Amino acid sequence: MAYGGMATALPYPDRFYAGAAYAGLSATSPGNVDSLKSSSLGLSDDTILLLYGLYKQATVGPCNLPKPWSWNVIDLAKWTSWNQLGRMDSMEAMRLFIRTLEEDDPSWWSKAQELDKEVTLDTEEMDNEKLVVEVELNWEINVEDTPTAVVPSESNDLLKVNGIFSTAEVEDVAEGIRAIAVYNEWVSPTVTGRRPSARYQHAAGVVDNKMYIIGGNHIGRYLNDVQVLDLKTLEWSKVDKVPQSPLSLQQKQSPHWFPPCAGHSLVRWGTKLLAVAGHSKEPVDTVIVRAFDTHTMTWTILDVYGKSPIARGGQSVTLVGSTLVMFGGEDSKRHHLMDDLNILDLESLTWEAIETSGTRPSPRADHVAAVHRDRYLFLFGGGSRSNCYNDLYVLDLESMEWSQAQTQGTVPSPHAGHAGATIGNSFYIIGGGDNKSGISDTLVLNMDTLVWSLVASVKGQTAISSEGLSVLAVEDSLVAFGGYNGHFNNQVHVFQTFPSERLQSKILKSPVAAAAAAFAAPQPVLSSPLNGTSSLSPDPEETVSESRAVPESMQENLDGEQLREEPECALDDSATGKKLALVLKVNEELQEATLAAQAECAKLQNELAMAQFNSSELEQELLSVRGQLAAEQSRSFRLEVDVAELREKLQSIEILQKELDLLQHQKAASEEAVIQAAQKQSTGVWSWLAGSPPDSNGVED
């Protein structure tokens, strides 16, 4: 959403300084709260403090001033607003400043232009920079006596995005994640509906083009909600009040509702999602397998047989045929890491602990696993108490023998808390950390050749470089959600991989190949009764087979290179060869224009996606900072009340102390007077008259 009109086109830091000047902050009054209060914005106290803190953070840097005394309320509030921003980057503070200003005054830029004539923008130039290039290619080549040389206007069947060919079928309108036309890059699509709370160590699964997010960890609190993202409409919804199964109604004390949990695994089994293991605050001794029916929206617990594995979290669970293969994890008390292998047969619902041979992986958790050709289990990375791993192990599920794979290509860095997904024979590794920082590289392992490749690398601190995120393979796409990289995320990211098998079929159907095939097809031999031969029609199958010979030899030349293998018919017929050369030359020029336009569109789409992501991220940061400011302000107000009460009590104590001292003094004086009076009565003639003579020492008995 653009709030500030043309101000959104003004680059930083100019936009920040323009907003600061409009709010009353300038070099003459840097970070002055009174300037903010005296401005015509009508800002609330919370917003004034937030703008003050962000301005100081952007212009000065982190707060290094000593904390003021608590009775100086204004200075303390200003110091708190600035100090709680921590080590926030200066540019990040500028962006938050503008977002806060735009929320309170969306038309601030137009007002600023009226107040300050020196701030101007070349609107025509900005509009030109924001133009989206749309190129429509409707061309037709008419060559005399060659009607087959007409190239249809749907020449966008074969496009090139980011250096990779992509396809767009006119009859099949893409929607949802399929509408994303950026390949081999992570993009954040626009989603609707109420987003789930940010989290990590959750579990995700896809059924009927819907992605289910279950449980997770949110700021140390375990979750048990079920969130649903429709991958066609990209709309979020929540499964509210999941009904219990009949069994759980009979046994209400049993955990048939999914308990708040994190570090569990989710595996699709038909229309059900099987939630396996995980860390929960409920005391359990063994692994529990729960099933969520996506049709009835009910939870049930599977009645399993055999010896169930001990409870754990951070394990890997992989579906191989009709069995679940579980490896490793961390026990429920987080005391021990495991390296055991357990298999659950989903048909007999029987657990079995498997004895393996060979060099097995060390005890670990937060690793990923994938199955290849229903026989080999690949296991990558993970972590222990102090180490992260980048090793790759392979388990032969027939011989149950482990081996450490010797790989080639890009060497992965140590990973833990990452996510993995498979598309064909490609094993994608996304996110994770190495005990130092989040990992921004997206790697892929060819499980046939054991070669690692780097396919993408995100810039900056994004949700992709997070620990505990989830990634699912949906056809030829990867869909990521959540994660933790210093703050909790609830973003959706999509990575479109290009299906090579679809590329070849599209090349054969492209206009260029069709035109070349038309020229290369042998012409039928027409004869007349004059030469004694009969009139023959060409064999359709022979014609088709021969016409395909040329496109196949041209597949490597469709990106603008010259034709390497010239059709034989062109050698026999010079006119046909010239026509073919003309078609190829025109097509080459049009392809170059198409690729240039497509590259520009892809660039603009990437910039738009990045801007949308930055906007949503800044909005989340702003909400977080505002929440922290509100909490700190509430706390400071409570402390001020406590201090005022203590001062009143202290004053009361001082008054009481003075009264006590006065009473003690009066008491001492009274006692002294009584003693003196008693002494007078016990001496002199008064004692003789009273008949009590003094003793020999002059003291009465």
Side-chain angles (χ1 to χ4, degrees):
M1 181 180 295
Y3 289 97
M6 287 305 302
T8 57
L10 188 65
Y12 286 95
D14 295 340
R15 193 193 312 183
F16 163 75
Y17 289 118
Y22 174 73
L25 301 174
S26 61
T28 57
S29 58
N32 193 339
V33 174
D34 294 334
S35 300
L36 289 168
K37 288 185 176 181
S38 61
S39 66
S40 59
L41 302 179
L43 302 175
S44 63
D45 292 340
D46 292 343
T47 304
I48 289 175
L49 288 176
L50 179 58
L51 290 176
Y52 165 82
L54 292 172
Y55 183 89
K56 299 293 287 187
Q57 188 80 9
T59 56
V60 179
C63 179
N64 295 321
L65 300 178
K67 184 177 181 180
W69 295 104
S70 58
W71 56 76
N72 194 339
V73 179
I74 297 179
D75 290 343
L76 179 61
K78 291 165 57 179
W79 182 89
T80 303
S81 175
W82 183 11
N83 183 69
Q84 69 180 358
L85 297 178
R87 310 295 299 179
M88 179 182 291
D89 182 71
S90 175
M91 185 60 66
E92 189 74 7
M94 292 182 181
R95 294 181 183 275
L96 284 176
F97 183 96
I98 294 300
R99 285 290 291 181
T100 305
L101 180 61
E102 288 174 344
E103 286 185 358
D104 278 82
D105 192 356
S107 58
W108 71 270
W109 177 245
S110 59
K111 295 179 181 178
Q113 285 183 314
E114 296 176 1
L115 296 176
D116 187 1
K117 299 300 182 180
E118 296 179 359
V119 181
T120 59
L121 283 174
D122 189 347
T123 57
E124 181 178 357
E125 181 181 354
M126 294 299 177
D127 288 338
N128 292 334
E129 291 180 358
K130 295 177 65 178
L131 284 178
V132 177
V133 180
E134 297 180 355
V135 179
E136 298 182 359
L137 296 177
N138 294 306
W139 55 282
E140 179 176 337
I141 303 175
N142 294 320
V143 182
E144 184 179 1
D145 298 331
T146 57
T148 57
V150 176
V151 181
S153 61
E154 292 82 7
S155 61
N156 60 345
D157 280 358
L158 187 62
L159 304 177
K160 192 173 184 182
V161 182
N162 300 334
I164 299 178
F165 284 103
S166 64
T167 60
E169 297 179 1
V170 177
E171 66 275 6
D172 185 13
V173 179
E175 57 182 348
I177 62 173
R178 293 182 59 193
I180 299 175
V182 179
Y183 295 90
N184 283 3
E185 289 186 15
W186 286 101
V187 298
S188 179
T190 302
V191 296
T192 58
R194 184 173 182 179
R195 292 186 179 183
S197 57
R199 66 192 69 195
Y200 81 122
Q201 292 183 339
H202 52 279
V206 172
V207 179
D208 296 335
N209 245 337
K210 293 182 179 180
M211 182 175 70
Y212 293 81
I213 303 295
I214 300 178
N217 187 326
H218 174 70
I219 318 180
R221 180 171 63 90
Y222 290 162
L223 307 173
N224 66 343
D225 55 341
V226 179
Q227 306 283 346
V228 185
L229 176 65
D230 191 319
L231 297 177
K232 289 185 177 180
T233 62
L234 294 180
E235 181 178 4
W236 280 108
S237 61
K238 181 181 179 182
V239 178
D240 292 321
K241 298 181 180 180
V242 179
Q244 292 175 306
S245 65
L247 178 61
S248 65
L249 293 177
Q250 298 173 5
Q251 302 176 357
K252 294 184 179 180
Q253 299 303 321
S254 62
H256 284 72
W257 289 71
F258 185 74
C261 189
H264 49 292
S265 303
L266 203 62
V267 178
R268 178 181 177 180
W269 180 244
T271 60
K272 295 181 175 62
L273 294 172
L274 304 180
V276 185
H279 291 301
S280 175
K281 294 184 179 180
E282 295 186 0
V284 291
D285 298 325
T286 59
V287 169
I288 297 177
V289 182
R290 295 176 173 85
F292 178 73
D293 193 320
T294 58
H295 287 177
T296 62
M297 300 298 176
T298 57
W299 281 104
T300 56
I301 289 183
L302 299 186
D303 293 327
V304 297
Y305 305 94
K307 185 178 180 181
S308 298
I310 63 174
R312 66 192 67 196
Q315 68 292 321
S316 64
V317 178
T318 310
L319 179 65
V320 183
S322 61
T323 60
L324 295 180
V325 181
M326 182 176 69
F327 176 83
E330 187 179 26
D331 69 330
S332 58
K333 295 183 180 179
R334 301 180 183 271
H335 291 165
H336 304 287
L337 294 169
M338 290 167 280
D339 60 351
D340 55 340
L341 185 74
N342 296 272
I343 290 181
L344 174 64
D345 190 327
L346 294 176
E347 295 180 353
S348 62
L349 294 180
T350 302
W351 278 108
E352 182 181 1
I354 304 298
E355 293 294 333
T356 60
S357 60
T359 305
R360 65 180 179 182
S362 59
R364 65 188 64 196
D366 299 327
H367 52 278
V368 292
V371 64
H372 183 50
R373 302 188 185 279
D374 288 333
R375 175 174 175 177
Y376 301 102
L377 181 72
F378 285 77
L379 189 145
F380 173 75
S384 63
R385 299 294 180 190
S386 57
N387 296 323
C388 292
Y389 304 113
N390 66 341
D391 45 12
L392 178 70
Y393 286 87
V394 181
L395 173 65
D396 189 329
L397 296 172
E398 291 186 0
S399 62
M400 288 299 169
E401 181 180 2
W402 284 104
S403 61
Q404 187 169 3
Q406 301 299 321
T407 61
Q408 297 178 346
T410 304
V411 178
S413 60
H415 283 61
H418 48 290
T422 58
I423 298 178
N425 65 341
S426 298
F427 186 17
Y428 289 86
I429 303 298
I430 304 97
D434 57 1
N435 283 337
K436 297 179 181 179
S437 62
I439 298 175
S440 60
D441 294 339
T442 298
L443 301 170
V444 61
L445 172 71
N446 187 316
M447 292 185 285
D448 287 330
T449 62
L450 297 182
V451 175
W452 284 105
S453 302
L454 175 65
V455 294
S457 183
V458 296
K459 296 181 180 180
Q461 191 177 20
T462 67
I464 299 303
S465 59
S466 297
E467 298 183 31
L469 76 167
S470 64
V471 176
L472 296 172
V474 182
E475 296 181 352
D476 298 313
S477 305
L478 300 176
V479 183
F481 173 78
Y484 176 80
N485 59 357
H487 63 276
F488 295 86
N489 297 295
N490 63 350
Q491 304 293 324
V492 177
H493 289 81
V494 178
F495 183 89
Q496 291 279 21
T497 63
F498 184 76
S500 58
E501 64 276 4
R502 195 177 301 175
L503 171 62
Q504 185 174 3
S505 64
K506 278 298 176 181
I507 290 178
L508 294 176
K509 296 178 182 179
S510 66
V512 182
F519 280 111
Q523 300 295 327
V525 179
L526 300 179
S527 58
S528 64
L530 297 178
N531 56 17
T533 60
S534 60
S535 177
L536 299 177
S537 299
D539 186 356
E541 294 183 0
E542 182 179 356
T543 302
V544 172
S545 62
E546 293 182 1
S547 65
R548 288 179 178 173
V550 172
E552 291 176 357
S553 65
M554 295 170 59
Q555 290 178 15
E556 297 180 356
N557 304 286
L558 295 180
D559 57 353
E561 297 181 1
Q562 294 182 352
L563 185 64
R564 298 176 183 175
E565 185 177 344
E566 195 172 9
E568 295 181 359
C569 62
L571 298 177
D572 298 334
D573 190 350
S574 59
T576 304
K578 292 180 180 179
K579 296 171 184 177
L580 177 59
L582 177 61
V583 171
L584 293 178
K585 181 179 180 181
V586 175
N587 177 72
E588 183 178 345
E589 295 176 354
L590 290 173
Q591 271 195 333
E592 291 179 357
T594 301
L595 296 179
Q598 192 64 27
E600 184 68 21
C601 289
K603 179 181 178 181
L604 293 174
Q605 287 178 350
N606 291 338
E607 292 177 356
L608 177 61
M610 184 61 67
Q612 290 176 344
F613 173 76
N614 291 336
S615 176
S616 60
E617 190 178 36
L618 290 174
E619 186 176 356
Q620 294 295 329
E621 284 291 335
L622 177 60
L623 294 176
S624 176
V625 171
R626 281 192 165 182
Q628 294 176 4
L629 282 175
E632 193 66 27
Q633 186 177 17
S634 176
R635 180 173 172 271
S636 64
F637 286 158
R638 289 196 301 269
L639 291 175
E640 291 173 8
V641 173
D642 294 341
V643 169
E645 293 178 352
L646 290 175
R647 285 178 177 175
E648 292 179 358
K649 292 180 180 179
L650 182 61
Q651 292 177 355
S652 301
I653 291 174
E654 292 177 353
I655 295 174
L656 292 175
Q657 184 64 39
K658 291 180 180 179
E659 293 179 355
L660 179 61
D661 293 341
L662 179 61
L663 291 174
Q664 288 178 347
H665 181 72
Q666 292 176 353
K667 179 181 178 183
S670 300
E671 290 177 351
E672 184 177 359
V674 170
I675 293 173
Q676 291 178 356
Q679 289 178 351
K680 288 181 180 180
Q681 290 179 357
S682 60
T683 57
V685 295
W686 295 103
S687 61
W688 288 101
L689 293 176
S692 300
D695 57 8
S696 58
N697 294 326
V699 180
E700 293 183 354
D701 293 333

